[in-house]
Amino acid sequence: MRVTILAVGRLRAGPERTLIDDFLLRFDRTGRALGLGPAQVVEVEAKPGAGMAAEGVLQIARIPKDAWLCCLDERGELLPSPAFASRLDRWKDERRDAVFVIGGADGIDPSVRGRADLLLSFGPMVWPHMLVRVMLAEQLYRAATILSGGPYHRA
Ligand SMILES: C[S@@+](CC[C@H](N)C(=O)[O-])C[C@H]1O[C@@H](n2cnc3c(N)ncnc32)[C@H](O)[C@@H]1O
């Protein structure tokens, strides 16, 4: 199953980018034997000040028709890492694509949120979207290690 992190804004080279690249590379390596991956980051950028609705139009254009759609949202479901891994495991048997949408400064437009199969929360606090990219990349890698029985996840 291809995995896309669909994010707003361009992330320049720096520590967050390094971590994301590293976790997604590890996810690809660990997930390959499980039918998970490859993972990619797709960035959309609306004109300055165009707002969340314009970002939503760009995001919808990048979501494959039959993809599982997960929107990252602080008001969403809280899942322990093994439960998140189980979701990925189930989704990969059902669809070719999973897309994880991370909003910009204003959040995710209702036109995108309304289509989501899952609203996933990393806790009730609001995190900067660049950090949410890193957290999601790490959880994807963690999920792959849980499914492969590796020693990375210890709880
Ligand atoms: C800075 S936040 C935007 C918050 C926006 N003010 C709102 O109320 O929706 C940018 C994006 O990061 C993601 N995000 C931030 N905190 C999160 C959390 N605790 N759990 C999941 N996603 C989160 C969401 O996708 C959000 O749209």
Side-chain angles (χ1 to χ4, degrees):
M1 177 177 69
R2 288 183 304 212
V3 172
T4 300
I5 298 177
L6 186 49
V8 174
R10 308 266 170 238
L11 183 56
R12 295 199 192 93
E16 294 99 341
R17 175 87 171 270
T18 304
L19 280 168
I20 292 163
D21 290 348
D22 183 47
F23 283 128
L24 293 186
L25 184 67
R26 293 192 207 194
F27 170 76
D28 284 353
R29 282 188 187 144
T30 310
R32 195 171 297 134
L34 306 166
L36 284 175
Q40 61 171 347
V41 178
V42 171
E43 299 178 317
V44 298
E45 209 166 28
K47 289 197 177 115
M52 186 167 78
E55 288 166 1
V57 171
L58 297 175
Q59 287 165 335
I60 284 172
R62 304 304 297 266
I63 300 169
K65 202 160 170 275
D66 293 326
W68 275 109
L69 183 58
C70 174
C71 286
L72 277 291
D73 188 318
E74 64 275 10
R75 292 151 294 195
E77 245 183 273
L78 295 163
L79 289 181
S81 296
F84 178 61
S86 298
R87 295 277 176 118
L88 278 184
D89 195 32
R90 182 154 49 86
W91 290 358
K92 79 167 178 15
D93 293 335
E94 297 172 358
R95 309 272 173 99
R96 265 190 75 191
D97 283 277
V99 177
F100 293 84
V101 178
I102 300 172
D106 298 325
I108 299 176
D109 192 68
S111 61
V112 182
R113 283 179 91 244
R115 293 182 178 205
D117 297 291
L118 172 67
L119 297 179
L120 177 64
S121 172
F122 288 157
M125 288 180 171
V126 175
W127 298 97
H129 59 104
M130 299 305 182
L131 280 187
V132 174
R133 289 192 202 192
V134 178
M135 292 155 82
L136 176 59
E138 196 276 344
Q139 284 300 309
L140 287 167
Y141 170 56
R142 184 177 293 275
T145 68
I146 289 169
L147 295 172
S148 70
Y152 179 74
H153 179 72
R154 290 184 287 274

